[in-house]
Amino acid sequence: PIFLDNTDISLGNLTETLSSELENSKYLVVICSPVSAKSDWVNKEVNYFIVQGQEDRIIPCIIEGTQTTSYPPAMSKELLGTSLMELNREQAFIKIVAKLLGLRYDALWKRHQRREQKKRRTRIAIVTSTILLLVITALGIWDHYYRVTTKYFTDFVDRWGIPQGIQLLSNNERRRRSFCYEFK
């Protein structure tokens, strides 16, 4: 479960609500910027987590500024976090998730890259198959309507000694006849 202060906060005493949520939290992800560093509430939340003995479970994420200008006063400047100025959003997110799951960033990042490559290969296969199917269909339609086809007919057929009207001849029947009509 994730508690977001701007959407999950309930009515009532703010200090008690935040204290209750922080007690139930395994980690505290602090979005760090020069503005949040000046916020009393952010500082109180960090301080509360430190007092609970969970300083090693604080995960700073610097979205603006530097470590010295973005950390709230209660947070140790030696606490390493992820910075969106150094990493892109995807890498920063993976770095935070790796900390939450107790995994190495590199292992999780490589797993993420393999998954993205698999998605990319699947998309390429689908697009390639679709294009190939469209080309085959187009060639079949073109061939059906624009290819010159030749059919051979005879002016009458003698069936059981009775002459009958025009009939389509197969290639074998055509070869056996000395004369036939050719239509293209």
Side-chain angles (χ1 to χ4, degrees), residues 76-94:
S76 170
K77 304 294 186 227
E78 292 184 16
L79 188 61
L80 288 177
T82 184
S83 173
L84 290 178
M85 273 61 72
E86 296 171 9
L87 303 172
N88 65 38
R89 284 182 180 214
E90 195 174 36
Q91 290 171 321
F93 177 74
I94 296 295

Side-chain angles (χ1 to χ4, degrees), residues 15-77:
T15 305
E16 288 177 16
T17 303
L18 287 176
S19 297
S20 171
E21 292 296 337
L22 289 172
E23 283 176 18
N24 295 328
S25 298
K26 191 172 183 179
Y27 289 94
L28 175 66
V29 179
V30 181
I31 307 300
C32 301
S33 71
V35 174
S36 69
K38 295 174 186 171
S39 169
D40 288 336
W41 286 107
V42 172
N43 196 46
K44 285 179 185 178
E45 291 173 17
V46 169
N47 195 38
Y48 188 85
F49 225 68
I50 292 170
V51 168
Q52 297 298 318
Q54 296 185 344
E55 185 174 10
D56 60 327
R57 293 183 176 266
I58 296 174
I59 305 171
C61 179
I62 303 169
I63 61 167
E64 194 177 291
T66 63
Q67 197 167 345
T68 55
T69 62
S70 300
Y71 277 18
M75 194 170 3
S76 170
K77 304 294 186 227

